[in-house]
Amino acid sequence: MGIDAVIQRLRTASDIAHLPWPDMVWQPSTGKPITLSRGTFVDLPLPPRQRVDLRTELRVPRSIGPVSLDQEPLYLTIDSIYPLQLLFQGRELIGRREPPVAPGPEETLVSPAISEGTNGELRLVYDVPQSQTWLNWLYFRFSTPALRRRADAIDLLLSRLALASELATTPAERSQVAESALLIPLDLELVDQEGLDELDRMVAQHLEGFADRLEKLSVHVIGHSHLDLSWLWTWPDTTRVIKRDVAGVLGLMDEYPELTFTQSQAVTFDVIERDSPELFQSVLHHITEGRWEVAAMQWVETDLNLPSGESLARSILYGVSHCRERLGVSPTVFLAPDAFGHSGNLPQLVTSAGAHVYYHERCNPGTSEPHTAYSWRGDDGTRILNVSTPRYWGQVTIKSIADAAIAALKQGLSSGLFFHGVGNHGGGPTREGLDRLRMMAGLKGFPKTACSTLARYASDVGDSELPEHVGELGSLFEGCYSTNREMKLRNRRAENALTSASTLAAVARLDQEAALRAAWKTLSLAQFHDTLCGSAIADVYDQVFEELDDATRSASEVIASAFVALTETAAAESIVVTNPLGWTRRDVVVVPGVTGSGPFSVIQDDGSVIPAQHSSEGLVFVAEVATFGCRQYTLGDRNVENRDITVVEDDDVIRVETEWYRAHLHRESGSLVSLRVGETGPELVRFGGRRPTDYIDSARLDLAINVLQVVDEAPHDMSAWHFDDVIGERYLIAGGSSQLIEVGPVRAIVRTIQRFGSSEIVRDIIFYQSLPRIDVTCTIDWRESGSREKGITNLKVSSTASLGRGAAWFESPFGACERAADGQEVVAQRWADVSDNNYGLAMLNDGIYGHDALGCRLRLTLLRSSYEPNDVGDVGQHVMKYSLCPHAGDWRQAGVPKLAAGFNQTLIAKAGVVCRADVSALRPTLGGDPNVLLTSLKRAEKESAWVARLQECEGRPATVYIESLRPAIRSVNRASIVEDPLGNVPIDLDGRARLSMRPWEVSTLLFNE
Ligand SMILES: [Zn+2]
């Protein structure tokens, strides 16, 4: 038998030895008996909102294999999310009436001495919650000290052979390992403890030549407890778990002075400080000692693809600030264990906040083997040391430690990394694991293993030659980018409102940061990875939606107070339009409360008259407003001559001509079967209209623009997470109807109504005379639920552009990336684009993240009916918007990033006010290269200063001038993302500050008053 086969045989023996207890049959009060087999209950009953009562006789065999159980103490470790009660002979062993929790560092002694035969009745009572029934999450592990000793002995044999095999390079060394493998008998399961110990002595002796090298290896063991703040439970439940776990770890630290612990998420420290001041003092003490590692560079562990760049900046700012102010440390470890993907500008953002090392589990870029450590180069060229393990939780076993050392060896490193902590809803290090670490410390010819911190591990591997990964780390659960539309829409609405509010407050020089900070933290909590990804239970969203609506309301109040500061009351016909973005823009604005009908006009502040149009939402016109500006308009005269958009209604199509494009809208489907850019531009739809052939005319409506599709995925587990095999695609190209519902000099709106099953999809397709966009507002009554039988139904909108060899680009947090146009679901922020060198089509959105591009077909996933852990999927009413932007040139030339920002942060208008002349507003402007966006302003956290965020948005170097700073601003500093000043940017005699930026650089500036 070869060495690999022996190692494999030992791995199987180890798996059995760690879960040795024989199958047990448990009887529910009603129904058929169920079996507990190798730690897992088979077909566990999970009736929602009911109590389940199971009983079994604890029958103990004389021995398990060669291990006698007589008079052994029996321990039980439970990993579960259900509130449960466990009784032995009527005595309560566990009485957890609190919310579902993992066992944490506890272990239950069932009996101090068991004996062969019946030992008494075990009774388990658990309450099944309404919607946590998706995972059979109830694991029981029975063990005794003798059984553990056996598992350890088998692990040790396995580890010695596996480690030596990894180190053996010469033929002599390899034959030495092979000879040692021959010592392992085929009937290992019959060898008793004494025999195993003797075998270990022999194997160790045989492999003595490797001992020196093995003892030079080290494994850093990180104590951790992964807290999913709201997932299959709600945030209030988790606050209790945080306190339980911190108390548990502190207790263990007293018992085991070597124990260290790494805690992430600043909000969890906040909970301890607020609710348990004594625990907090102990934590502070251990931080000072260096045993409690603060790895809380974010307020919470958010998703890292879905939040906007500014949301990530805020989460990092509030995380780092909290650590500095309340814990007295500046964290250097960015912990993102469970994030489902990592966007390309993160190295820059986290390094700017002081990170030296980035830890993650998912999306490791190693191909044949995951990298334990590697260098990650972000979009802008910033490098950071990334470290990674296959799991961010686990039990310390000899085998797991050896595997960590082997992973390091495979990469040529001398130190490995291992996370310990049981449970995946809190939990933490265990006595069993810590005892094992102590035992391993005395092992000869074995890697040095000790409790450590990620910072220590980073300094250990820092100088090694490491592989490099460039750009985003991709993603793993692509369905998440579409699951739970309402969560995504509310997230974006809050992001837009908070960014605009923060900026307009700064323009008005109002310090509203306290109110805004609270709202940003609420948003950050909602951006927790399971929550924003749509993979949490319904109870979570009931709370989160309310909280997000509150945050959006706070933002609206700040915007209103900025309006009060920037304007004063005037006659009703006076209108002020304000622009929350850092560039001059022409965009549509709706003035609420101005009623009337038909075409109209407004007079701009320079006396020119422009067209306007009454609508049910208010007065609509296209305003041009300077950077962060307020512009004055006055209601004009309805008799002014206005040229309506040309709309021609034919039988099959409605033809619309504007200054920017000519479109043919297919009445039955709302699809654009012809779309030409400008007067002379090419046809962007190749097969939409009927074309003559030798016999009958033919068309391919499915290959038009703005086509609704129903896409069916095969049934699969983790439906909220995974976008899986597509087994059907249907095109909603027949049976609908379209009607012109509004037309005037500003815009024309065609309403298309389509039905699918019991669902109704209403789309208002809005053509503007003088804007290069076609906006689409969808009002959908969605009735399609998914199930384990049917699978998942998605609603997509598809646009196929007739282009040459195109490229597909997607916006990412503070950046953009090109990806293969291979049809896979991917995430984008506010825009995605397919272009060749001459023309292209961009699709903008107001909270739709799931996209796919296949060649020059771009699709948005509007709705997705996953069925677990939340069984209603997207069933319900939804209103969402997207926009089609046909353009000349590529996305850069078309200014797509600016269009998308404008589509989200709209111009804001108010009637009955005029701009105040006496207000000393802050309105910095940007000159120089056009590829830098001045995205937002805020009040500085500490100094008497204002913060401006700049983003290079095209992947090219740039030089810009910040102008209009005087008289309010005295000096300008470059700053880190957490607002530490980094150096002065001189203001020249003309009052301008010059700044050079790298491709994709995000720059934070402090404007000192
Ligand atoms: Zn998680």
Short mmCIF file of all heavy atoms in Angstrom, two decimals, residues 330-360:
data_model
loop_
_atom_site.label_atom_id
_atom_site.label_comp_id
_atom_site.label_asym_id
_atom_site.label_seq_id
_atom_site.Cartn_x
_atom_site.Cartn_y
_atom_site.Cartn_z
N SER A 330 -5.54 51.44 17.47
CA SER A 330 -5.81 51.59 16.04
C SER A 330 -5.68 50.22 15.40
O SER A 330 -4.58 49.69 15.33
CB SER A 330 -4.79 52.53 15.39
OG SER A 330 -5.20 53.85 15.57
N PRO A 331 -6.77 49.63 14.96
CA PRO A 331 -6.67 48.27 14.44
C PRO A 331 -5.88 48.21 13.13
O PRO A 331 -5.90 49.16 12.35
CB PRO A 331 -8.13 47.87 14.21
CG PRO A 331 -8.86 49.15 14.07
CD PRO A 331 -8.13 50.17 14.89
N THR A 332 -5.19 47.10 12.92
CA THR A 332 -4.40 46.93 11.70
C THR A 332 -4.80 45.67 10.93
O THR A 332 -4.20 45.33 9.92
CB THR A 332 -2.89 46.82 12.03
OG1 THR A 332 -2.70 45.70 12.89
CG2 THR A 332 -2.37 48.08 12.70
N VAL A 333 -5.79 44.95 11.47
CA VAL A 333 -6.23 43.70 10.83
C VAL A 333 -7.64 43.90 10.30
O VAL A 333 -8.56 44.25 11.04
CB VAL A 333 -6.23 42.54 11.85
CG1 VAL A 333 -6.78 41.27 11.21
CG2 VAL A 333 -4.84 42.32 12.41
N PHE A 334 -7.81 43.70 8.99
CA PHE A 334 -9.15 43.77 8.40
C PHE A 334 -9.69 42.36 8.30
O PHE A 334 -9.13 41.52 7.59
CB PHE A 334 -9.10 44.43 7.02
CG PHE A 334 -10.45 44.76 6.47
CD1 PHE A 334 -11.06 45.98 6.77
CD2 PHE A 334 -11.14 43.86 5.66
CE1 PHE A 334 -12.32 46.30 6.28
CE2 PHE A 334 -12.41 44.17 5.17
CZ PHE A 334 -12.99 45.40 5.47
N LEU A 335 -10.75 42.09 9.04
CA LEU A 335 -11.28 40.73 9.10
C LEU A 335 -12.56 40.64 8.27
O LEU A 335 -13.55 41.28 8.59
CB LEU A 335 -11.57 40.36 10.56
CG LEU A 335 -11.52 38.88 10.90
CD1 LEU A 335 -10.08 38.40 10.94
CD2 LEU A 335 -12.17 38.62 12.24
N ALA A 336 -12.52 39.83 7.21
CA ALA A 336 -13.70 39.64 6.36
C ALA A 336 -13.89 38.14 6.12
O ALA A 336 -13.84 37.67 4.99
CB ALA A 336 -13.53 40.38 5.05
N PRO A 337 -14.10 37.37 7.21
CA PRO A 337 -14.06 35.92 7.08
C PRO A 337 -15.14 35.37 6.14
O PRO A 337 -14.87 34.49 5.35
CB PRO A 337 -14.28 35.43 8.51
CG PRO A 337 -14.85 36.57 9.27
CD PRO A 337 -14.34 37.80 8.59
N ASP A 338 -16.34 35.94 6.24
CA ASP A 338 -17.49 35.27 5.62
C ASP A 338 -18.02 36.03 4.41
O ASP A 338 -19.00 35.61 3.81
CB ASP A 338 -18.59 35.13 6.70
CG ASP A 338 -19.66 34.13 6.31
OD1 ASP A 338 -19.41 33.32 5.41
OD2 ASP A 338 -20.75 34.17 6.92
N ALA A 339 -17.42 37.16 4.04
CA ALA A 339 -17.93 37.93 2.90
C ALA A 339 -17.89 37.04 1.66
O ALA A 339 -16.96 36.27 1.46
CB ALA A 339 -17.10 39.19 2.69
N PHE A 340 -18.92 37.20 0.81
CA PHE A 340 -19.10 36.28 -0.32
C PHE A 340 -18.28 36.68 -1.55
O PHE A 340 -18.36 36.04 -2.59
CB PHE A 340 -20.57 36.18 -0.70
CG PHE A 340 -21.49 35.85 0.46
CD1 PHE A 340 -22.84 36.16 0.40
CD2 PHE A 340 -21.02 35.23 1.60
CE1 PHE A 340 -23.70 35.87 1.45
CE2 PHE A 340 -21.86 34.93 2.67
CZ PHE A 340 -23.20 35.26 2.58
N GLY A 341 -17.54 37.77 -1.43
CA GLY A 341 -16.72 38.24 -2.53
C GLY A 341 -16.02 39.50 -2.06
O GLY A 341 -16.38 40.07 -1.03
N HIS A 342 -14.99 39.92 -2.81
CA HIS A 342 -14.17 41.05 -2.34
C HIS A 342 -13.86 41.92 -3.55
O HIS A 342 -13.18 41.48 -4.48
CB HIS A 342 -12.88 40.52 -1.71
CG HIS A 342 -13.13 39.49 -0.63
ND1 HIS A 342 -13.14 39.81 0.70
CD2 HIS A 342 -13.43 38.17 -0.71
CE1 HIS A 342 -13.42 38.71 1.40
NE2 HIS A 342 -13.60 37.71 0.57
N SER A 343 -14.37 43.16 -3.54
CA SER A 343 -14.24 44.01 -4.73
C SER A 343 -12.83 44.59 -4.84
O SER A 343 -12.08 44.64 -3.86
CB SER A 343 -15.31 45.12 -4.69
OG SER A 343 -15.35 45.72 -3.42
N GLY A 344 -12.51 45.06 -6.04
CA GLY A 344 -11.12 45.34 -6.40
C GLY A 344 -10.47 46.56 -5.76
O GLY A 344 -9.25 46.70 -5.79
N ASN A 345 -11.26 47.47 -5.20
CA ASN A 345 -10.64 48.65 -4.61
C ASN A 345 -10.45 48.52 -3.10
O ASN A 345 -10.00 49.46 -2.44
CB ASN A 345 -11.44 49.92 -4.94
CG ASN A 345 -10.55 50.98 -5.58
OD1 ASN A 345 -9.32 50.92 -5.43
ND2 ASN A 345 -11.13 51.93 -6.27
N LEU A 346 -10.79 47.34 -2.54
CA LEU A 346 -10.66 47.18 -1.08
C LEU A 346 -9.22 47.32 -0.58
O LEU A 346 -9.02 47.91 0.49
CB LEU A 346 -11.24 45.82 -0.65
CG LEU A 346 -12.76 45.77 -0.62
CD1 LEU A 346 -13.24 44.33 -0.54
CD2 LEU A 346 -13.31 46.55 0.57
N PRO A 347 -8.20 46.79 -1.29
CA PRO A 347 -6.84 46.98 -0.76
C PRO A 347 -6.55 48.46 -0.48
O PRO A 347 -5.98 48.80 0.55
CB PRO A 347 -5.95 46.41 -1.86
CG PRO A 347 -6.79 45.36 -2.50
CD PRO A 347 -8.19 45.94 -2.50
N GLN A 348 -6.98 49.32 -1.41
CA GLN A 348 -6.75 50.74 -1.21
C GLN A 348 -7.52 51.29 0.00
O GLN A 348 -6.96 51.98 0.84
CB GLN A 348 -7.18 51.50 -2.48
CG GLN A 348 -7.02 52.98 -2.36
CD GLN A 348 -7.55 53.76 -3.57
OE1 GLN A 348 -7.36 54.94 -3.64
NE2 GLN A 348 -8.21 53.10 -4.50
N LEU A 349 -8.80 50.92 0.09
CA LEU A 349 -9.63 51.48 1.16
C LEU A 349 -9.13 51.03 2.53
O LEU A 349 -9.03 51.83 3.46
CB LEU A 349 -11.10 51.07 0.99
CG LEU A 349 -11.78 51.46 -0.33
CD1 LEU A 349 -13.26 51.10 -0.30
CD2 LEU A 349 -11.63 52.95 -0.60
N VAL A 350 -8.83 49.74 2.68
CA VAL A 350 -8.46 49.25 4.02
C VAL A 350 -7.04 49.69 4.38
O VAL A 350 -6.75 49.97 5.54
CB VAL A 350 -8.63 47.72 4.16
CG1 VAL A 350 -10.04 47.31 3.78
CG2 VAL A 350 -7.62 46.93 3.34
N THR A 351 -6.15 49.76 3.38
CA THR A 351 -4.77 50.21 3.67
C THR A 351 -4.80 51.67 4.11
O THR A 351 -4.09 52.07 5.03
CB THR A 351 -3.89 50.02 2.42
OG1 THR A 351 -3.99 48.66 2.01
CG2 THR A 351 -2.44 50.33 2.71
N SER A 352 -5.64 52.44 3.45
CA SER A 352 -5.75 53.85 3.82
C SER A 352 -6.22 54.00 5.26
O SER A 352 -5.86 54.95 5.95
CB SER A 352 -6.74 54.54 2.87
OG SER A 352 -6.99 55.85 3.28
N ALA A 353 -7.00 53.03 5.75
CA ALA A 353 -7.49 53.08 7.13
C ALA A 353 -6.51 52.49 8.12
O ALA A 353 -6.80 52.43 9.31
CB ALA A 353 -8.84 52.36 7.21
N GLY A 354 -5.35 52.01 7.64
CA GLY A 354 -4.33 51.51 8.56
C GLY A 354 -4.17 50.00 8.58
O GLY A 354 -3.43 49.46 9.41
N ALA A 355 -4.84 49.27 7.66
CA ALA A 355 -4.72 47.81 7.68
C ALA A 355 -3.35 47.36 7.18
O ALA A 355 -2.84 47.90 6.19
CB ALA A 355 -5.82 47.19 6.81
N HIS A 356 -2.77 46.37 7.88
CA HIS A 356 -1.53 45.73 7.41
C HIS A 356 -1.82 44.34 6.85
O HIS A 356 -1.00 43.77 6.15
CB HIS A 356 -0.53 45.57 8.56
CG HIS A 356 -0.09 46.87 9.13
ND1 HIS A 356 0.50 46.99 10.37
CD2 HIS A 356 -0.17 48.13 8.63
CE1 HIS A 356 0.77 48.25 10.60
NE2 HIS A 356 0.37 48.96 9.58
N VAL A 357 -2.95 43.80 7.25
CA VAL A 357 -3.26 42.43 6.84
C VAL A 357 -4.78 42.29 6.66
O VAL A 357 -5.55 42.91 7.38
CB VAL A 357 -2.70 41.40 7.85
CG1 VAL A 357 -3.21 41.64 9.25
CG2 VAL A 357 -3.01 39.97 7.43
N TYR A 358 -5.15 41.48 5.67
CA TYR A 358 -6.57 41.28 5.31
C TYR A 358 -6.84 39.79 5.42
O TYR A 358 -6.18 38.98 4.78
CB TYR A 358 -6.74 41.75 3.87
CG TYR A 358 -8.15 41.80 3.32
CD1 TYR A 358 -8.77 43.03 3.11
CD2 TYR A 358 -8.84 40.65 2.95
CE1 TYR A 358 -10.05 43.11 2.56
CE2 TYR A 358 -10.11 40.72 2.41
CZ TYR A 358 -10.71 41.94 2.22
OH TYR A 358 -11.98 42.02 1.67
N TYR A 359 -7.79 39.41 6.28
CA TYR A 359 -8.10 37.98 6.42
C TYR A 359 -9.44 37.68 5.74
O TYR A 359 -10.42 38.41 5.92
CB TYR A 359 -8.18 37.58 7.91
CG TYR A 359 -8.75 36.18 8.04
CD1 TYR A 359 -7.92 35.07 7.91
CD2 TYR A 359 -10.12 35.96 8.22
CE1 TYR A 359 -8.43 33.78 7.96
CE2 TYR A 359 -10.64 34.67 8.26
CZ TYR A 359 -9.79 33.59 8.13
OH TYR A 359 -10.31 32.32 8.16
N HIS A 360 -9.48 36.60 4.98
CA HIS A 360 -10.76 36.15 4.42
C HIS A 360 -10.73 34.64 4.25
O HIS A 360 -9.67 34.02 4.23
CB HIS A 360 -11.05 36.81 3.07
CG HIS A 360 -10.16 36.34 1.95
ND1 HIS A 360 -10.60 35.53 0.94
CD2 HIS A 360 -8.86 36.55 1.70
CE1 HIS A 360 -9.61 35.27 0.10
NE2 HIS A 360 -8.54 35.87 0.54
#
